[in-house]
């Protein structure tokens, strides 16, 4: 099923100039970028986005990290995009993430794991609406579809 996922390169990815390399992984796989913006997330938005973790011991550190510098927010579309992107991103802890995944290849620490991706259809919907207006999400065809999908 064609799905949209919310994906965000966190401040460390932007500051370490990894945006191009990370974006290339999604493009080369055959996924389609349908929205994108560089955004310096404020405290309210960070707390809402990561609300499910508000009672965790790492919550304050997580919020400080996310608001420390700009992030690159995106909506990425494709067949089974939500679970597929989680696979491309890799495990939450970069030390456990397989090599070949984004976190496995580019990160060292759980608290600096460079990228976020929605974990389920409901969270994808919630997160996309939190960061983007409907007009900011582009509806367009890419002609390589006939070579990507049967
Ligand atoms: N410092 C620290 N940060 C953590 C820890 N666990 C999770 N985090 C941070 O909190 C984020 C959200 O945690 P989860 O939602 O459980 O993990 P995830 O779904 O792989 O990561 P996201 O895609 O960012 O939501 C992680 O990506 C980490 O940045 C922890 O034990 N210590
Ligand atoms: Mg998560």
């Amino acid at each position: 099923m064609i799905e949209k996922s919310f994906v965000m390169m966190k401040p460390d990815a932007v500051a370490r100039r990894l945006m191009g390399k990370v974006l290339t992984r999604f493009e080369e796989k055959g996924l389609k970028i349908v929205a994108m913006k560089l955004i310096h997330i404020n405290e309210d938005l960070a707390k809402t986005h990561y609300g499910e973790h508000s009672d965790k011991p790492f919550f304050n550190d997580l919020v400080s990290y996310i608001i420390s510098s700009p992030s690159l927010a995106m909506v990425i579309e494709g067949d089974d995009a939500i679970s597929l992107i989680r696979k491309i991103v890799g495990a939450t802890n970069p030390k456990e993430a397989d090599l070949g995944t984004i976190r496995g290849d580019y990160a060292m620490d759980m608290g600096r794991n460079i990228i976020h991706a929605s974990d389920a259809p409901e969270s994808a919907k919630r997160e996309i609406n939190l960061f983007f207006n409907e007009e900011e999400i582009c509806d367009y065809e890419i002609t390589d579809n006939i070579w990507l999908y049967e």
Side-chain angles (χ1 to χ4, degrees):
M1 191 178 54
I2 299 295
E3 294 175 331
K4 288 184 175 71
S5 183
F6 176 71
V7 181
M8 188 178 84
M9 293 191 219
K10 296 177 181 180
D12 43 342
V14 178
R16 290 175 55 205
R17 306 179 218 266
L18 291 172
M19 285 188 288
K21 281 185 168 144
V22 171
L23 187 63
T24 294
R25 298 201 169 203
F26 297 117
E27 291 194 292
E28 288 184 343
K29 178 67 179 169
L31 290 157
K32 184 162 74 169
I33 314 301
V34 295
M36 179 182 276
K37 65 181 163 193
L38 196 66
I39 172 176
H40 197 146
I41 296 172
N42 66 32
E43 194 173 330
D44 278 354
L45 182 55
K47 286 181 168 167
T48 307
H49 174 65
Y50 279 123
E52 63 173 312
H53 299 303
S54 60
D55 53 358
K56 306 268 172 66
F58 59 82
F59 186 67
N60 287 342
D61 288 342
L62 173 59
V63 170
S64 307
Y65 159 45
I66 294 301
I67 67 174
S68 62
S69 190
S71 296
L72 187 70
M74 296 173 283
V75 180
I76 304 184
E77 187 181 279
D79 200 16
D80 291 330
I82 295 168
S83 61
L84 177 61
I85 290 169
R86 293 281 293 189
K87 265 191 222 162
I88 295 170
V89 163
T92 308
N93 185 345
K95 291 190 179 76
E96 284 160 18
D98 290 335
L99 297 181
T101 65
I102 293 169
R103 286 168 173 165
D105 287 353
Y106 293 122
M108 291 293 284
D109 193 287
M110 181 90 117
R112 295 286 182 275
N113 63 1
I114 81 164
I115 188 159
H116 161 83
S118 303
D119 60 9
E122 309 74 54
S123 46
K125 197 162 182 236
R126 183 182 78 85
E127 293 165 0
I128 290 168
N129 289 334
L130 195 57
F131 283 85
F132 290 97
N133 299 323
E134 231 171 89
E135 317 85 76
E136 291 176 307
I137 301 169
C138 298
D139 184 7
Y140 67 106
E141 294 300 324
I142 295 186
T143 52
D144 64 5
N145 262 359
I146 57 162
W147 303 111
L148 289 168
Y149 297 117
E150 188 181 333

